[in-house]
Each structure stands twice: as structure tokens, then as C-alpha cells.
Amino acid sequence: MSSVPPKTLQIAEDIRSMRTRGAGRIACAAVQGLMIAAEESRASTTEHLLQDVAQAARVLYNTRPSAVSLPNGLRYFFTRLEAKAKATDDTAAVRRQAQDIGQSFITMSTNAVKAIGQIGSRFIDDGDVIFTYCNSAAAAEILITAHQMGRQFSVYVPETRPKYQGYITLTWLDKAGIASYLITDNAIRYLMGHADKVFVGADAIAANGAVLNKIGTSMVALAADEARLDFFVAAESYKFSPLTMLGELIQIEEREASEIVPADRLTSWKHVTVRNPAFDLTPPEYIDAIITEQGQIPPQAAISILYEQYGWFTSELALPWESHIPPSS
Ligand code: RI2
């Protein structure tokens, strides 16, 4: 029987269904899921407590495959909890420490977004016309911070089919008092010639500086390159993928057909298959800078951010919770 608490299972379901979405928000929600698992565990030994948290980590990890923030958030939490559990037999103390570890991740994430806003806002000048894409808290923070600093600019926001996250961005910008244009995705190349620079978020960044973000981002980058605009990516440093240091590719999530076409239309066709990839990769050649909370870096410096965080990452560190799950589970 699963020892994963219903509240953690609900968090996992919300991530899977995209009720909770956005790479940073997914990571924080997953960490909250682990905090709940630790708090609600009835284990009487620290190893059993780790087992309960590990079961929760497995469920949360399997919700969405592309946003590296998710396994990185789980890894942050689990490796620290494991170190605490090895140091003591006091389960109540480890349970309390789990809350502190989770809170420190969430605070680090919130502060990183604020710092990205400060650093990125320096790239915005009065009179700029800016392009963004999808809905990224980190990219939006740059725009909102620049606006609060008194910069005058406007923003093009494509709808971002099939889930229309552009509407969330428009609502945020509107609330902040920033002038923006709603456009269809088809209008991106045509209107790119009217813009000055692009800011997007990231779900994952590979060791070679390639950026995985919402499907269509690489087309935005191509159009920006053609129009000779600067292309900036806003990403907290926990969105860099350590597994890509070992040569692993980041998996591109394919989601259900029903996000694109109603089921009755689909069943009326005999020879049609829907492909719904959720992300694409923008190569480093199309990216002028990645703005992290530590400063802006050229995409080619992604490997040094990874090395600072993980050293020379080895595959045993990939899913540290797995070794705590009994084989029968
Ligand atoms: P923040 C989103 O993915 C978008 O691709 C967005 O650019 C990225 O996460 C980063 O968002 P999805 O969850 O972490 O909508 O900057 O598939 O908010």
C-alpha cells in the first residue's frame, strides 16, 4: 500500500494535469509535497522516514519529464534530508529539519526570481518593444521590475497554443500597468521586425547552453535572429540539468491530443494522429545571455554553473531517493 499522503498525491496530480505549472512553481510544489510526506510519516526510524519521503519523491518525479527544476528540487530536498537522517536516530528532529530544508528551497527560489528581475531589468531601455513567450515568472519579473523602475516599454505576448499561457502573462503585465499586445502565434515572425529584444523563461538548460522551453520558443529565437534582436533567457540556476553533463538528452514531453483537438473530432478521423510536444530546444547560438540570480552568463558558460552546483556529477546522484525504496514497492 502506498505510504504517500493524499495531499502529496494531489500536488502530484496538479503538476501532471498542469493545474500547477511553470518550471519554478512545479519545483516548489514538489518540495512542498515532500515536506508533507515527512510531516505525515508515522515512521519510528529515520530510515523508514526516508523511505516514506522517497516513495513520495518517486510519485512527484514521474509527473512531468522535461522541467529539470522538478528533479533538481527533489534532489535538493532529499540529499539534505538523507544527510540529516544519517547523523541522528531522532525521527522527530529529522521531521522538523525536513520543514526547514523545504522552506530554504522555496525561499531560495523566490529570492532567485527577485534577483533575476533586478539583473535582467538593466537590459531594458526606454522605448523598447519587447517580445516574450508563454508564461515565465522569471521573465515576467524582469519586465515588472523594469516597469517599477520607471522604464517605458511595451510587450508583445503570443497566445502560446495549445494551453494559452500567454493569457496568464498578459494578466500579470496588465495588473502591473505594462502596455502589452496580444498576438496569435502565427504573427510572431511578422511582428518581430517591430521589436527590439526578447525575454523568455526556461524549463531546463543543458550543459552546452541549449535552452528547453515551451514549444515554439525555438521559432521565436529564429525570428529574433533573423530580425537581429537580442534574445535573453531568464532562469534560476536550479534549472540547469546536471544529467546533461553526462551526455544525457533532456526528454521532450508529449502531452495528450485532447489539449489540441476535441475527442469527438479526433475519433471521426481514421488516418490522423495528433502530435503534441510541449517543449523544444533553442541552440546556444541563438541566445545572447542567460540571466540567472548569480548574474548574466553567455550560454556557453552553462557548464560552469553546473560544475559549481554539482561538481563532476555522477549517475548515482541522479535519483538519490531510489536506493531507499524497497524492491517490492
Ligand atoms: P518559470 C513553463 O512550462 C514555460 O515553458 C515557461 O517558460 C517555463 O515553464 C518557465 O517558467 P509549462 O509548465 O519557472 O507551462 O519562469 O509547461 O515560471
Side-chain angles (χ1 to χ4, degrees):
M1 206 183 86
S2 165
S3 61
V4 182
K7 277 192 247 165
T8 299
L9 293 174
Q10 185 59 52
I11 288 173
E13 183 46 35
D14 287 347
I15 295 173
R16 189 176 292 112
S17 65
M18 290 181 70
R19 260 193 302 276
T20 300
R21 53 146 299 281
R25 283 157 277 171
I26 289 174
C28 291
V31 164
Q32 271 161 350
L34 296 188
M35 289 163 78
I36 293 166
E39 191 173 278
E40 299 203 357
S41 167
R42 293 288 148 258
S44 53
T45 67
T46 51
E47 181 47 37
H48 283 132
L49 175 59
L50 278 181
Q51 259 177 37
D52 287 344
V53 177
Q55 302 267 15
R58 183 187 270 179
V59 170
L60 290 157
Y61 172 74
N62 284 323
T63 51
R64 291 191 76 189
S66 296
V68 169
S69 51
L70 172 60
N72 284 353
L74 297 174
R75 195 180 291 114
Y76 175 103
F77 184 97
F78 198 85
T79 52
R80 284 164 177 77
L81 191 70
E82 197 179 31
K84 302 280 185 202
K86 275 190 184 144
T88 177
D89 293 333
D90 184 347
T91 47
V94 176
R95 231 179 248 123
R96 278 195 303 277
Q97 282 159 338
Q99 305 312 306
D100 296 342
I101 295 167
Q103 202 44 58
S104 76
F105 180 83
I106 293 164
T107 305
M108 180 268 285
S109 170
T110 311
N111 290 344
V113 171
K114 283 189 200 139
I116 288 168
Q118 292 292 331
I119 296 164
S121 61
R122 296 185 206 136
F123 293 97
I124 297 182
D125 300 310
D126 274 335
D128 270 351
V129 177
I130 289 166
F131 247 90
T132 189
Y133 190 63
C134 195
N135 172 252
S136 155
E141 186 71 15
I142 291 175
L143 303 175
I144 292 167
T145 307
H147 176 75
Q148 286 167 347
M149 291 164 81
R151 305 273 157 72
Q152 305 284 328
F153 59 92
S154 55
V155 188
Y156 278 107
V157 185
E159 288 182 306
T160 318
R161 281 272 291 154
K163 300 281 286 180
Y164 297 103
Q165 290 98 323
Y167 288 82
I168 306 172
T169 300
L170 284 159
T171 304
W172 289 3
L173 299 184
D174 190 58
K175 198 165 160 224
I178 299 171
S180 48
Y181 300 95
L182 165 64
I183 65 169
T184 62
D185 301 340
N186 323 46
I188 289 173
R189 184 175 177 217
Y190 174 65
L191 291 168
M192 192 62 79
H194 298 253
D196 300 292
K197 45 196 80 149
V198 181
F199 291 88
V200 297
D203 293 80
I205 298 176
N208 70 348
V211 167
L212 182 124
N213 194 47
K214 184 53 54 195
I215 187 78
T217 303
S218 66
M219 294 197 301
V220 176
L222 268 178
D225 186 62
E226 181 189 51
R228 304 176 73 81
L229 307 192
D230 286 336
F231 188 92
F232 297 105
V233 175
E236 303 89 310
S237 57
Y238 67 82
K239 291 179 181 164
F240 289 67
S241 165
L243 280 169
T244 58
M245 295 170 91
L246 307 175
E248 264 198 35
L249 300 178
I250 303 168
Q251 198 187 328
I252 304 272
E253 176 182 13
E254 284 236 15
R255 295 186 60 83
E256 310 86 77
S258 58
E259 287 186 351
I260 295 186
V261 61
D264 54 343
R265 168 163 293 186
L266 191 57
T267 46
S268 74
W269 290 326
K270 290 190 178 53
H271 309 287
V272 177
T273 305
V274 175
R275 295 285 313 268
N276 183 17
F279 301 100
D280 63 21
L281 266 178
T282 299
E285 304 83 78
Y286 292 92
I287 298 163
D288 290 281
I290 300 175
I291 301 166
T292 79
E293 71 277 19
Q294 299 170 24
Q296 75 270 9
I297 58 161
Q300 292 75 12
I303 186 74
S304 45
I305 295 270
L306 280 164
Y307 181 72
E308 251 171 52
Q309 289 186 83
Y310 302 101
W312 293 122
F313 193 78
T314 61
S315 52
E316 298 92 75
L317 292 170
L319 306 175
W321 51 86
E322 283 297 323
S323 61
H324 293 273
I325 300 178
S328 54
S329 304

